[in-house]
Amino acid sequence: MADKQIKYAVTLYSMSCEYFTGKYNLEECLKAVAEMGYKGIELVAAQMIPEYPNPSREWMDEFVALLKRYQLEPICYSAYIDMGIRSDRDLNEEEIFQCTLNDMMYASYMGFPIVRTQHAITPKIFEQMVPYARKFNVKLTIELHRPHTPSVPVWQEYMRIMDKHGTENLGIVPDFSIFQRTPHKLYLELAIKQGARKPVLEAACRIFEEGAEVEATIGKLDSLSEFEIVTIKDIYSNFYSNSADVEEMRTLLKYTPYIHGKFYYLEEDQDDTCVPFHKLLPLIKEEGYSGYISSEYEGHHFSTEVSSAEQLHRLIKMENRILYGV
Amino acid sequence: MADKQIKYAVTLYSMSCEYFTGKYNLEECLKAVAEMGYKGIELVAAQMIPEYPNPSREWMDEFVALLKRYQLEPICYSAYIDMGIRSDRDLNEEEIFQCTLNDMMYASYMGFPIVRTQHAITPKIFEQMVPYARKFNVKLTIELHRPHTPSVPVWQEYMRIMDKHGTENLGIVPDFSIFQRTPHKLYLELAIKQGARKPVLEAACRIFEEGAEVEATIGKLDSLSEFEIVTIKDIYSNFYSNSADVEEMRTLLKYTPYIHGKFYYLEEDQDDTCVPFHKLLPLIKEEGYSGYISSEYEGHHFSTEVSSAEQLHRLIKMENRILYGV
Amino acid sequence: MAGFQAFADYIICEKPIENVVVNGQAVGYEFEIKYPSYRGTYVSCIEKLEIAVDGREIDPKDLRFCLNHKEFLFAQIPELYSEYWFIHDNAVIRVFQEDGLAKDRDHEVSVRIVHRIPYTGYFGDYLVLDSANTKKLQVL
Amino acid sequence: MAGFQAFADYIICEKPIENVVVNGQAVGYEFEIKYPSYRGTYVSCIEKLEIAVDGREIDPKDLRFCLNHKEFLFAQIPELYSEYWFIHDNAVIRVFQEDGLAKDRDHEVSVRIVHRIPYTGYFGDYLVLDSANTKKLQVL
Ligand SMILES: [Mn+2]
Ligand SMILES: [Mn+2]
């Protein structure tokens, strides 16, 4: 992957299933992605740091040593804005400031150039962090994730702040989930396992493809179970509405140092039918994007039977095929 | 000390200063009291258990092993009713029940026959604990400590509960502080160090000895500083009022398996001028008391310069002299 | 339709139930559970935690939630925003019950965790998941 | 007259102040304190915690209280009834301050802890102690 303009990274979140079940520990996750040829690493702090939200120096030193052992580079430290941790109220400004400042300090300590935070940071606090991002020499980025799209008003504010202060230390991490369409295989299999009938779901999808709205679609189908109605609504909201247009990616690129290449399931040697990589990748290449695209496998939300390693392997192959025809 | 009826124990709380400052660790405290000839040990859980209020099995196993190493016997596990730990309210019944049940379980696990709790447990919860005390084969006791005396109404209720259920698994731990009179040396020295004049305090004590009340006493003394007035009031409430009569010890003995021999400072080979051991010890001997008296040195609240070991040594000598004329 | 729930099958750990013994007598029993998510959470995000054993719902006053070397009442759970539940740290559910559980047969344990995902307030709301798991466990 | 206060002299630990350095630049400094009592307490029993350095009172928003491998805002202290402060565990006071503290001289640190003794409600009231300590410390 050495000389190509678009760089590949991987979020360890992709190995959620193997890590959760204990099949792989942290080191085994790193070893696995290194063997796949990945060089850049994203760490989801709340997933793999036992002392989260306050990682010990010992843990961080050990993590840095592990990266070195497998010749991996820290690229993105994924932070959360856990607004809802209290039962009585949302986090207040002081608390959001504190956790963000800490995450930037931990990221800097471990050598991550990018910190991914979430939109709930608020424009006010995001702007307060600018001098710290400069001082710590990290890029504070906000993930743009489904169900948000670039047209949600707060994103206009975030872009204004980035225009004002520059993108040297600020940025957006588009997650390809904002572009997804057509339910993926694991989604449908799980819905069927939970009681929905396959022909009914397929019929609903066909009607949605023709541009029908959700109530009209439900009206056209006979004798649906309550679960099927819920599922069809969920399919509509997740795959046939609220998606960003692929062209919107062009505007985002100006702010983008890192992309979440979100996917759920890939068949061998085939394009993704859910996330339009085949349109997005040529577009970012054409625009001259030279940041990272990070492989983010999320099928583990739907099945624990799939091999994440195999999926990550198929993604690289597909990306190389789409980008470079190899 | 082998054949004597009244048995000596010591609370590790006596070594608070050495333990707090790190001069002695837990093992060194045990070694020190073993060398003084003590056999029975009281542990103040909230003082020496790092994982309080939930000691780990590892800590408890290690503690039991240490006792064995120094041929010491676990006698009393001192629990608290920490009613005021929350800022919004006092502990509720469920919480008091929980911590008491736990303390009895930890005590039983480590082999302590006695659990000391505090009056704030409430008669209702104390009575709820009776079946557990039987089952765990521990004696659940309540410490009667200054500023309480046996005449505080709740104590009549506790004694009724003990009369009803028997004293096989219930009891009272009188702390000799309820009998204290005349300020001890460390108290006076500290008050003087903090700015009170020695002759003024001595004059106040003389007037109190003659039976005067606090306002009258202050009235008789000229040009007192504000601090001296506060100190004189404190001396009155701690040493010249609210004390139990020594004779009240007779009623308590029926419920008493363990006594806190509280003291603050002893001169070499002299009787305590603050706590009337010279009256209390002959009384409990005459009544045939055969439980433990535990040495409880508390001078560390007033000075960190005094050797607890030397004080504990002087106490045993004084007790032997008073009880057995040796 | 629930994605995000694939880990619910792992809530109850495949380890035998242990009786809690004091002075030679069982006063209850305990078993272990995992938080069913790709990431850890704060204990305060648990909105409901319901335990049933052999078909009988356990009274919360007989239950303890043990994590990070501490023991909590179920009533305290909503307040524990400073207790992080790492996904590899098993919590112990302690049930107080006279004589514990009989060893002569397996027992059916059911756990239901209703939990708020603290970062999902995309439009002011939080995703609240309702995760359940039932397993037959031996008594050690 | 205050007994119960003999340990106040030990609040500030006799260890040098350390600057907090990120990306080669100091963003603050920290020093250690002990709980001044014969027994441990719960962090929620701290009713006031005031820090002054070189005679200047530090704004609580620039302060962090670090204990049990966790970091807290000063505003959270009254709620932390499940954080036990063992007497041999030093808490770290972190002060955010641009460039940290100069190393060319000692700095005077003052700490005031107003703390409720949780078991002293003999007649419905709690003993609340006001413990203070000042020391000159080096910067490491
Ligand atoms: Mn993402
Ligand atoms: Mn006592």
Side-chain angles (χ1 to χ4, degrees):
Chain A
M1 273 174 286
D3 265 5
K4 290 161 192 166
Q5 272 203 300
I6 296 174
K7 290 168 278 186
Y8 291 156
V10 63
T11 169
L12 296 179
Y13 166 81
S14 299
M15 314 295 290
S16 285
C17 189
E18 288 77 2
Y19 182 74
F20 176 88
T21 59
K23 188 181 168 196
Y24 290 174
N25 63 21
L26 174 57
E27 177 165 1
E28 289 162 333
C29 289
L30 292 170
K31 187 162 177 283
V33 296
E35 283 168 1
M36 286 173 218
Y38 286 105
K39 300 288 176 212
I41 292 294
E42 173 177 346
L43 171 72
V44 174
Q47 177 171 38
M48 297 192 175
I49 304 181
E51 315 101 342
Y52 186 84
N54 303 118
S56 64
R57 204 156 270 234
E58 294 70 39
W59 190 92
M60 294 193 287
D61 290 344
E62 168 69 12
F63 180 73
V64 170
L66 281 174
L67 289 183
K68 211 168 171 183
R69 185 170 317 153
Y70 294 98
Q71 294 177 278
L72 296 167
E73 228 185 310
I75 303 296
C76 180
Y77 175 101
S78 263
Y80 286 91
I81 302 293
D82 276 338
M83 287 292 285
I85 67 170
R86 294 182 63 120
S87 302
D88 55 347
R89 60 165 173 80
D90 284 347
L91 288 194
N92 63 30
E93 288 183 8
E94 193 182 359
E95 291 157 351
I96 296 173
F97 177 86
Q98 175 202 26
C99 69
T100 305
L101 187 64
N102 277 349
D103 284 323
M104 290 164 69
M105 287 168 59
Y106 304 137
S108 170
Y109 183 80
M110 290 186 271
F112 286 99
I114 296 171
V115 174
R116 185 273 337 232
T117 187
Q118 299 182 296
H119 76 280
I121 190 171
T122 74
K124 181 179 170 188
I125 300 169
F126 186 64
E127 196 159 12
Q128 277 174 17
M129 304 318 300
V130 173
Y132 297 95
R134 291 217 175 98
K135 191 162 197 164
F136 301 169
N137 193 27
V138 296
K139 213 184 268 279
L140 183 63
T141 63
I142 311 178
E143 180 169 0
L144 174 46
H145 191 284
R146 189 173 197 86
H148 273 198
T149 65
S151 11
V152 170
V154 73
W155 287 94
Q156 305 306 314
E157 290 187 63
Y158 285 132
M159 289 185 230
R160 265 198 302 276
I161 292 169
M162 294 179 203
D163 288 336
K164 180 173 156 197
H165 297 282
T167 54
E168 177 71 22
N169 295 101
L170 303 176
I172 294 175
V173 175
D175 182 289
F176 276 178
S177 64
I178 64 174
F179 302 107
Q180 73 192 26
R181 53 205 68 210
T182 324
H184 52 85
K185 181 170 176 269
L186 301 181
Y187 182 102
L188 291 173
E189 282 179 359
L190 182 60
I192 290 159
K193 188 175 150 200
Q194 292 180 343
R197 286 165 297 171
K198 194 176 176 189
V200 165
L201 300 186
E202 285 172 350
C205 290
R206 266 196 313 274
I207 304 170
F208 284 141
E209 302 278 359
E210 289 157 11
E213 301 260 328
V214 66
E215 291 304 333
T217 304
I218 289 168
K220 282 184 197 165
L221 294 163
D222 282 337
S223 58
L224 297 174
S225 71
E226 207 174 309
F227 178 69
E228 284 167 343
I229 293 173
V230 170
T231 302
I232 290 169
K233 286 182 178 171
D234 192 61
I235 288 177
Y236 182 73
S237 85
N238 275 304
F239 303 103
Y240 292 102
S241 61
N242 311 315
S243 294
D245 191 279
V246 166
E247 285 300 309
E248 293 188 76
M249 189 66 202
R250 291 194 206 274
T251 331
L252 293 176
L253 280 174
K254 173 177 172 192
Y255 309 100
T256 301
Y258 191 75
I259 291 169
H260 272 177
K262 166 71 55 65
F263 72 113
Y264 304 94
Y265 189 79
L266 290 179
E267 299 286 358
E268 177 93 55
D269 296 326
Q270 295 190 20
D271 281 357
D272 193 328
T273 56
C274 175
V275 178
F277 279 89
H278 60 291
K279 293 182 186 167
L280 289 160
L281 295 183
L283 183 152
I284 64 174
K285 188 182 176 192
E286 178 190 324
E287 294 284 339
Y289 178 68
S290 63
Y292 284 92
I293 179 160
S294 178
S295 300
E296 188 177 17
Y297 170 66
E298 191 163 295
H300 45 77
H301 279 181
F302 305 90
S303 167
T304 57
E305 308 291 307
V306 179
S307 158
S308 311
E310 174 61 23
Q311 287 294 311
L312 290 171
H313 180 69
R314 291 182 188 176
L315 184 73
I316 295 194
K317 270 172 73 183
M318 183 190 76
E319 290 178 328
N320 280 330
R321 192 172 66 239
I322 296 173
L323 282 170
Y324 311 107
V326 296
Chain B
M1 274 175 284
D3 266 4
K4 290 161 190 166
Q5 273 205 300
I6 296 174
K7 291 168 279 188
Y8 292 155
V10 63
T11 170
L12 296 179
Y13 166 81
S14 299
M15 316 294 289
S16 285
C17 190
E18 287 78 0
Y19 183 73
F20 176 87
T21 59
K23 189 180 167 195
Y24 290 172
N25 63 20
L26 174 57
E27 177 164 2
E28 289 162 333
C29 288
L30 291 171
K31 188 162 177 282
V33 298
E35 281 168 2
M36 287 172 215
Y38 287 105
K39 301 288 179 213
I41 293 294
E42 174 177 345
L43 170 73
V44 175
Q47 179 172 38
M48 297 191 175
I49 304 182
E51 312 102 341
Y52 185 84
N54 303 117
S56 64
R57 202 158 271 232
E58 294 67 41
W59 190 92
M60 296 195 285
D61 290 344
E62 169 69 12
F63 180 73
V64 168
L66 281 174
L67 290 183
K68 210 167 172 186
R69 185 171 316 154
Y70 294 98
Q71 294 178 280
L72 296 167
E73 230 184 310
I75 303 297
C76 180
Y77 175 101
S78 264
Y80 285 92
I81 302 293
D82 276 337
M83 285 293 284
I85 65 170
R86 294 182 64 120
S87 302
D88 55 346
R89 60 164 173 81
D90 284 348
L91 288 195
N92 63 28
E93 288 183 7
E94 193 183 359
E95 291 158 350
I96 296 173
F97 177 87
Q98 176 203 24
C99 70
T100 304
L101 187 65
N102 277 349
D103 284 323
M104 290 164 69
M105 287 168 59
Y106 303 138
S108 170
Y109 183 81
M110 290 186 272
F112 286 100
I114 296 170
V115 174
R116 185 278 331 236
T117 188
Q118 297 183 297
H119 75 280
I121 190 171
T122 74
K124 181 179 170 189
I125 300 169
F126 186 63
E127 197 161 12
Q128 277 173 15
M129 303 319 298
V130 173
Y132 297 96
R134 291 218 173 98
K135 190 160 198 166
F136 300 169
N137 194 27
V138 297
K139 215 183 267 278
L140 182 64
T141 63
I142 310 178
E143 179 168 2
L144 174 45
H145 191 285
R146 190 176 196 85
H148 274 197
T149 66
S151 11
V152 170
V154 73
W155 287 95
Q156 305 307 313
E157 289 188 64
Y158 284 131
M159 289 185 231
R160 265 198 303 275
I161 292 168
M162 294 177 202
D163 288 337
K164 180 173 156 197
H165 297 282
T167 54
E168 177 72 22
N169 294 101
L170 303 176
I172 294 174
V173 174
D175 181 289
F176 277 179
S177 64
I178 64 173
F179 303 108
Q180 74 191 25
R181 52 206 69 210
T182 323
H184 53 84
K185 181 171 177 271
L186 301 182
Y187 182 101
L188 291 172
E189 282 179 0
L190 181 60
I192 290 159
K193 188 174 149 201
Q194 292 180 342
R197 289 164 295 171
K198 194 175 177 187
V200 165
L201 299 186
E202 286 172 348
C205 289
R206 268 196 312 276
I207 303 171
F208 284 140
E209 302 277 0
E210 289 156 10
E213 301 259 330
V214 65
E215 290 304 334
T217 304
I218 289 168
K220 282 183 194 164
L221 295 163
D222 281 338
S223 57
L224 298 174
S225 71
E226 208 174 310
F227 179 69
E228 285 167 342
I229 291 173
V230 170
T231 303
I232 290 168
K233 285 182 179 172
D234 192 61
I235 288 177
Y236 181 73
S237 85
N238 275 306
F239 303 103
Y240 292 103
S241 62
N242 310 316
S243 293
D245 191 279
V246 166
E247 285 300 309
E248 293 188 77
M249 190 64 203
R250 289 194 208 274
T251 331
L252 293 177
L253 279 175
K254 175 178 171 193
Y255 309 100
T256 301
Y258 191 76
I259 290 168
H260 273 179
K262 166 70 55 64
F263 72 113
Y264 304 93
Y265 189 80
L266 290 179
E267 299 285 0
E268 177 94 55
D269 296 326
Q270 292 188 21
D271 281 356
D272 193 327
T273 55
C274 175
V275 178
F277 279 89
H278 59 290
K279 294 181 185 167
L280 288 160
L281 294 182
L283 183 153
I284 64 173
K285 187 183 179 192
E286 179 191 323
E287 294 284 340
Y289 177 69
S290 62
Y292 284 91
I293 180 161
S294 177
S295 301
E296 188 177 18
Y297 171 66
E298 190 163 299
H300 44 78
H301 279 181
F302 304 90
S303 168
T304 57
E305 307 290 305
V306 180
S307 157
S308 310
E310 174 61 23
Q311 287 294 312
L312 289 170
H313 180 69
R314 290 181 188 176
L315 183 74
I316 295 196
K317 270 172 71 183
M318 183 190 78
E319 289 178 329
N320 279 331
R321 190 171 69 240
I322 296 173
L323 282 169
Y324 312 108
V326 294
Chain C
M1 226 293 296
F4 239 137
Q5 290 281 26
F7 297 155
D9 291 346
Y10 295 85
I11 292 174
I12 299 169
C13 300
E14 304 263 14
K15 297 174 73 171
I17 296 167
E18 279 192 56
N19 277 320
V20 176
V21 174
V22 182
N23 189 38
Q25 294 176 67
V27 294
Y29 56 92
E30 47 190 42
F31 57 88
E32 296 182 13
I33 64 172
K34 275 172 80 101
Y35 180 62
S37 171
Y38 73 91
R39 59 158 284 195
T41 196
Y42 298 87
V43 176
S44 49
C45 293
I46 302 172
E47 301 196 341
K48 273 185 201 159
L49 180 54
E50 295 172 352
I51 310 292
V53 177
D54 296 330
R56 191 177 62 87
E57 188 79 21
I58 310 291
D59 186 335
K61 78 165 179 38
D62 295 325
L63 287 167
R64 303 289 186 271
F65 180 79
C66 309
L67 183 72
N68 300 340
H69 311 291
K70 300 180 190 178
E71 178 192 305
F72 303 106
L73 295 173
F74 270 39
Q76 293 170 328
I77 288 174
E79 301 176 334
L80 300 172
Y81 68 80
S82 73
E83 293 300 332
Y84 182 67
W85 190 359
F86 179 53
I87 52 170
H88 284 176
D89 284 341
N90 299 347
V92 171
I93 299 296
R94 169 176 288 192
V95 185
F96 279 97
Q97 179 181 293
E98 185 115 26
D99 304 326
L101 277 189
K103 299 185 183 193
D104 55 356
R105 61 179 182 88
D106 291 357
H107 295 268
E108 189 188 79
V109 173
S110 296
V111 175
R112 179 184 173 210
I113 305 180
V114 177
H115 49 118
R116 189 168 63 246
I117 307 302
Y119 64 91
T120 52
Y122 281 98
F123 296 107
D125 49 335
Y126 291 101
L127 177 62
V128 176
L129 295 177
D130 192 336
S131 307
N133 185 213
T134 294
K135 284 199 180 87
K136 285 247 178 203
L137 298 181
Q138 283 190 300
V139 180
L140 192 73
Chain D
M1 226 291 296
F4 239 136
Q5 289 281 28
F7 297 154
D9 292 345
Y10 295 85
I11 293 174
I12 299 168
C13 301
E14 305 264 12
K15 298 174 75 171
I17 295 168
E18 280 192 54
N19 278 321
V20 176
V21 175
V22 182
N23 189 37
Q25 294 177 68
V27 293
Y29 56 92
E30 46 189 41
F31 57 88
E32 296 182 11
I33 65 172
K34 275 172 78 102
Y35 180 62
S37 170
Y38 73 91
R39 60 158 281 195
T41 196
Y42 298 86
V43 174
S44 49
C45 293
I46 302 172
E47 300 195 342
K48 273 185 202 161
L49 180 54
E50 294 171 353
I51 311 291
V53 176
D54 296 330
R56 190 177 62 88
E57 188 81 21
I58 310 292
D59 186 334
K61 78 166 177 42
D62 295 325
L63 286 166
R64 301 289 185 273
F65 180 79
C66 309
L67 184 71
N68 301 340
H69 311 291
K70 299 180 191 178
E71 178 192 305
F72 303 105
L73 295 172
F74 271 39
Q76 293 171 326
I77 288 175
E79 302 176 333
L80 301 172
Y81 68 79
S82 73
E83 293 301 330
Y84 182 67
W85 192 359
F86 179 53
I87 53 171
H88 284 175
D89 284 341
N90 299 347
V92 171
I93 300 295
R94 169 175 288 193
V95 186
F96 279 97
Q97 179 181 292
E98 184 113 26
D99 303 326
L101 279 188
K103 299 185 180 192
D104 55 356
R105 61 179 183 88
D106 290 359
H107 296 269
E108 189 188 79
V109 173
S110 296
V111 175
R112 179 184 174 209
I113 306 181
V114 178
H115 50 118
R116 188 168 65 246
I117 307 301
Y119 64 91
T120 52
Y122 281 100
F123 296 108
D125 49 335
Y126 292 100
L127 177 62
V128 177
L129 294 177
D130 193 335
S131 307
N133 185 213
T134 294
K135 285 199 179 87
K136 285 247 180 204
L137 299 181
Q138 284 190 298
V139 180
L140 191 72

